Amino acid sequence: MEHEIKLIVMGGSWGGIQASLTILKHLPDDYSIPIILVLHRLRNFESELHGIYSRKIALKVKEVDEKEFIRGGYVYIAPANYHVLIEKEGSFSLDCSELENYSRPSIDVTFTSAALAFGKNVAGILLSGASKDGSMGLKSIVDNGGIAVVQHPEEAEVATMPLSAIQLVPQCRICDLNSIQNFLFSLQ
C-alpha cells in the first residue's frame, strides 16, 4: 500500500452508531492504528456512548480529553458539545466554538484537522447520516493525500451523508460495511 495509515477518523450521524459498531466489532484489542469516532449526538445530554462501545468491541474505548496524546489500541469518541481537533504533535484539542453544519461535534472539523496534521497518513471513513457534515472534511483528507472511504448509500440507514460525500469527493472508495472492515484489516 502506498500510504502508511497512522490515524483513522470515522464519522456518522443517523445510523452511524450501528454502522460503526458493525465495522469495529471484529477488530482485535491490539489493533495498532488509533481510531477517532465523531458521531452527531445531543449537545447537552450525558450519554453512555463510550459504555455501549466498550461492551461491544475489543478495543479500549474512551472519550477524548483535552491535550491527550493519541495512542494505538484505542477508539476515541468525540464528547458531546465539543469539536475535536487533531494537533500536529499528535494530541487532541477540544473546542466549543460555533456549530458547524448544525453540529458540535462536527465531522468536518475533526476530519479537516486530521488531514492537516497527518497528511497522506490519515484515512477518513464517512457513514450513514442525514446531513452534509463530513463531506468537506473528507475532501480535505483527499486533498492532503489521504484515503477517503464512504459507506455505500444503498446500505446506509440514511443516505444523505454518503451521497453528499460521493458528489464532492468522486475519487472516494464506496464500500459496504464488510468491505470497510476488511479495509481496516488491510492497513496493519
Side-chain angles (χ1 to χ4, degrees):
M1 178 169 287
E2 64 187 65
H3 300 268
E4 182 187 355
I5 297 302
K6 296 180 179 176
L7 181 71
I8 297 165
V9 288
M10 186 180 302
S13 186
W14 189 342
I17 292 175
Q18 189 57 49
S20 60
L21 283 170
T22 299
I23 293 166
L24 299 172
K25 70 181 176 185
H26 293 300
L27 293 182
D29 62 358
D30 62 348
Y31 190 78
S32 62
I33 304 171
I35 300 169
I36 301 166
L37 187 56
V38 182
L39 296 168
H40 292 169
R41 55 203 282 195
L42 295 174
R43 283 191 293 278
N44 296 308
F45 181 75
E46 288 291 324
S47 74
E48 289 296 320
L49 197 56
H50 70 283
I52 293 169
Y53 280 84
S54 292
R55 287 189 293 276
K56 295 187 180 276
I57 67 174
L59 287 159
K60 294 181 271 304
V61 179
K62 72 179 303 296
E63 278 198 346
V64 171
D65 286 322
E66 173 77 8
K67 301 301 179 196
E68 177 179 20
F69 278 92
I70 301 167
R71 295 179 290 164
Y74 279 88
V75 172
Y76 294 96
I77 297 179
N81 212 18
Y82 287 97
H83 295 307
V84 173
L85 295 110
I86 313 301
E87 303 293 340
K88 288 189 186 258
E89 75 273 12
S91 67
F92 292 109
S93 180
L94 296 177
D95 179 278
C96 58
S97 61
E98 296 297 314
L99 304 180
E100 296 281 341
N101 298 306
Y102 309 101
S103 301
R104 190 174 50 224
S106 161
I107 301 166
D108 276 339
V109 168
T110 300
F111 280 20
T112 300
S113 69
L116 295 175
F118 281 76
K120 68 179 184 179
N121 302 118
V122 64
I125 301 169
L126 194 59
L127 304 171
S128 176
S131 78
K132 295 182 177 182
D133 192 25
S135 296
M136 288 301 297
L138 212 55
K139 183 177 184 317
S140 182
I141 288 172
V142 169
D143 289 346
N144 284 280
I147 299 172
V149 179
V150 175
Q151 182 182 10
H152 198 295
E154 290 183 7
E155 182 189 59
E157 191 169 330
V158 180
T160 307
M161 194 172 276
L163 288 171
S164 173
I166 292 166
Q167 184 175 19
L168 189 63
V169 190
Q171 63 271 51
C172 69
R173 301 176 187 192
I174 304 168
C175 301
D176 62 22
L177 296 178
N178 285 336
S179 297
I180 295 172
Q181 187 180 69
N182 290 335
F183 168 71
L184 294 186
F185 278 117
S186 77
L187 298 176
Q188 292 222 111

